[in-house]
């Protein structure tokens, strides 16, 4: 809401001849403030066509306020508001696909990136900043506290998310889908899950079926993305 208002004021000042500088606008928000609390404002800004780049810092929960679940939290993850226990095994619902929600707004540029691939992130930000109109980049940022892994494994966690196709790297420019990276060998999802304490309950024998469901969902999403790149890619 703030950046769309500032950008609108800037455009007004330019029309009035009161400002001549070329200014580019970029905003950052966490997944809670983007997927959930701020979704209405974000959607409105994208639909109105403000010339801004919005970057979502996605660590998949409300990490600053005690690790509550958000719309970005994946199914099966244990959080303080949806913990694993006798009643249920972590979050029951599949996470919201915010990247595809932004694609549905028919904006010029949408992308997914990850902290584990610096080159990919820089290229996408540079491309976004060169395009006029609303842009959105969803960046997965592993959180050692909320996910439960050693701090020195942060980059590795990002790479595992990509290599297991849990978090594919791709971009959609004017409706054209393009994969940024395709794993040479797609790793099983359990390699990503077992490295995090938020998923440790899934490895109890009685939860084998849930692990299979999670792998199946990742496979379905990955295959759908490949089809989109084939059908709606650059011919």
């Amino acid at each position: 809401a703030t950046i769309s208002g500032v950008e609108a004021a800037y455009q007004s000042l330019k029309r009035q001849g009161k400002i001549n500088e070329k200014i580019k606008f970029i905003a950052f928000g966490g997944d809670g403030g983007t997927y959930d609390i701020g979704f209405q404002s974000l959607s409105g800004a994208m639909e109105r066509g403000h010339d801004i780049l919005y970057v979502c810092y996605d660590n998949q929960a409300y990490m600053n306020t005690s690790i509550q679940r958000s719309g970005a939290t994946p199914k099966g993850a244990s959080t303080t508001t949806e913990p694993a226990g006798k009643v249920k095994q972590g979050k029951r619902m599949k996470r919201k696909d915010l990247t595809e929600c932004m694609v549905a707004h028919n904006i010029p540029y949408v992308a997914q990136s990850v902290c584990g691939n610096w080159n990919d992130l820089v290229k996408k930000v540079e491309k976004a900043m060169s395009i006029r109109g609303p842009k959105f980049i969803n960046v997965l940022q592993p959180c050692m506290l909320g996910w439960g892994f050693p701090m020195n494994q942060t980059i590795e966690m990002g790479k595992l998310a990509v290599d297991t196709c849990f978090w594919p790297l791709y971009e959609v420019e004017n409706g054209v889908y393009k994969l940024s990276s395709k794993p040479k060998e797609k790793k099983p999802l359990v390699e990503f899950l077992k490295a995090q304490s938020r998923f440790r309950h899934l490895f109890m024998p009685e939860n084998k079926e849930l692990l299979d469901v999670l792998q199946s969902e990742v496979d379905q999403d990955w295959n759908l993305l490949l089809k989109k790149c084939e059908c709606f890619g650059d011919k």
Side-chain angles (χ1 to χ4, degrees), residues 167-183:
W167 190 263
L169 302 183
Y170 72 103
E171 58 186 359
V172 185
E173 187 174 356
N174 295 315
V176 176
Y177 279 75
K178 181 183 178 182
L179 273 182
S180 311
S181 175
K182 188 174 183 180

Side-chain angles (χ1 to χ4, degrees), residues 188-208:
L189 182 63
V190 291
E191 292 195 23
F192 176 67
L193 302 181
K194 70 184 179 183
Q196 307 168 56
S197 64
R198 62 174 178 164
F199 293 116
R200 62 188 173 193
H201 55 283
L202 299 179
F203 293 89
M204 299 171 66
E206 60 267 30
N207 290 328
K208 172 65 168 58

Side-chain angles (χ1 to χ4, degrees), residues 3 6-11 13-14 18-26 50-53 129 131-133 135:
I3 195 170
V6 172
E7 191 272 342
Y10 165 72
Q11 297 296 346
L13 291 171
K14 280 187 69 178
K18 295 181 179 180
I19 189 169
N20 296 315
E21 293 94 335
K22 186 176 182 181
I23 301 174
K24 296 186 178 182
F25 297 87
I26 181 169
H50 291 282
D51 188 13
I52 62 175
L53 168 61
M129 297 303 284
I131 296 171
R132 182 171 176 77
K135 290 84 58 176

Side-chain angles (χ1 to χ4, degrees), residues 56-95:
C56 179
Y57 183 96
D58 188 349
N59 53 26
Q60 301 197 316
Y62 291 86
M63 298 303 183
N64 287 339
T65 54
S66 302
I67 316 173
Q68 298 93 342
R69 60 94 87 190
S70 77
T73 306
K75 181 188 291 187
S78 182
T79 62
T80 55
T81 50
E82 206 163 359
K86 294 180 180 180
V87 177
K88 56 184 177 181
Q89 297 304 307
K91 187 184 175 188
R92 290 176 173 175
M93 304 302 295
K94 189 175 180 180
R95 67 181 177 87

Side-chain angles (χ1 to χ4, degrees), residues 33-46:
T34 307
Y35 280 69
D36 303 332
I37 300 170
F39 183 77
Q40 182 183 29
S41 296
L42 175 63
S43 177
M46 296 295 105

